[in-house]
Amino acid sequence: MDRMRIYEIIYALTSIDGRESVLFGNSGPYAREAFSRSLTGQAFPEIWFELPLSGDPWLDFHSLVSYDDVAGTQAAYQGHGGVYADALRWFAAQQPTKVRQLALSYDTRVGDIDNPAIQLLVNKRDPQVQAEFLKAVGREDAVESYLTFANAMQREWYDCYIGTFPGRQETGHPSWVRVECIVSDNQREYANDIETIKQHLANVGLVDIDEEALLNIRLLARSSFPLEFQFNIDEQGKALPVLSASVRFSHQDWSDASRRQEIISLMLELQGRGLADSRWQQLASSLFAKRVSHEDESSLISCCPTFVKLRWRDGEPPDAKAYLIAQAE
């Protein structure tokens, strides 16, 4: 099936029954244009809808191409000319054991579809791969600072993602990069000991995390869902005073009664702590998996509310976001 048609079906299914106004706001047309510009190869990309869980509704859009879809090709993004062409060629030339996905991310909440960020998702901890990626996107200046961070983080952490955001500026730090880490076995420690969380964050440069943030991180760590941290890294390899912590859900989590109840209990707790309002209750309605057909073609499409993320920025109140991940085969 035509990929634009598939996208429109997915968007319609996630936004019907009033969910568009509650979850996405007015960002839908920009997300559609961002999708069309992100196509490469022949496969349907994995798409992420990022949305806030309080305040005015909006939508940011992410498109992820898998290594298997472009391996060994000279693929290019259809709507961006030469932007990130070197990164895509580098990605297509890697080994499957090293890289997993290449993502374009758009600030569609403000209508910016001309300056996407780019991120690499990897299969295992290997700082040299991330360093090569930074060179491929023209950020050789950030290699040393990234490696400094990678050496300082916990041995158990797996830095699954690195990205650069040319359209966004951190005051005084124009050359920052973003790194996301799955905390792995440390999650059990964090569930029981706030001081361990505090020390591990201090090791990478975050030394002023307040008690409330630590308690909320512990709340996430005590769940049975995998915990991840996200950092913005400065030119010295230290984490800037911006921290995100998230947990990941699967289709199976939403389908199993006890796991689904655990998600609901967690979201009720976040709402009770003032980090989310009642719109999280719309997330379960966006879960689907179905086959759609047009003429003699068909495709299996699915959508799952996959991440809930808490974010703290220095001097600002914390907020919460959710991510819906959709696919087509």
Side-chain angles (χ1 to χ4, degrees), residues 149 152-154 196 198-207 237-238:
F149 172 85
M153 72 183 189
Q154 287 303 117
T196 300
K198 188 175 182 179
Q199 182 58 59
H200 289 182
L201 294 177
N203 290 345
V204 295
L206 277 173
V207 295
K238 299 290 187 181

Side-chain angles (χ1 to χ4, degrees), residues 66-109:
S66 295
Y67 170 78
D68 290 342
D69 296 333
V70 296
T73 72
Q74 291 294 313
Y77 292 114
Q78 291 184 8
H80 287 296
V83 175
Y84 297 135
D86 290 345
L88 190 55
R89 283 193 291 269
W90 171 85
F91 179 72
Q94 298 308 299
Q95 297 297 316
T97 55
K98 292 185 176 182
V99 299
R100 182 161 56 92
Q101 291 172 304
L102 194 67
L104 295 183
S105 296
Y106 299 82
D107 291 333
T108 45
R109 79 187 92 173

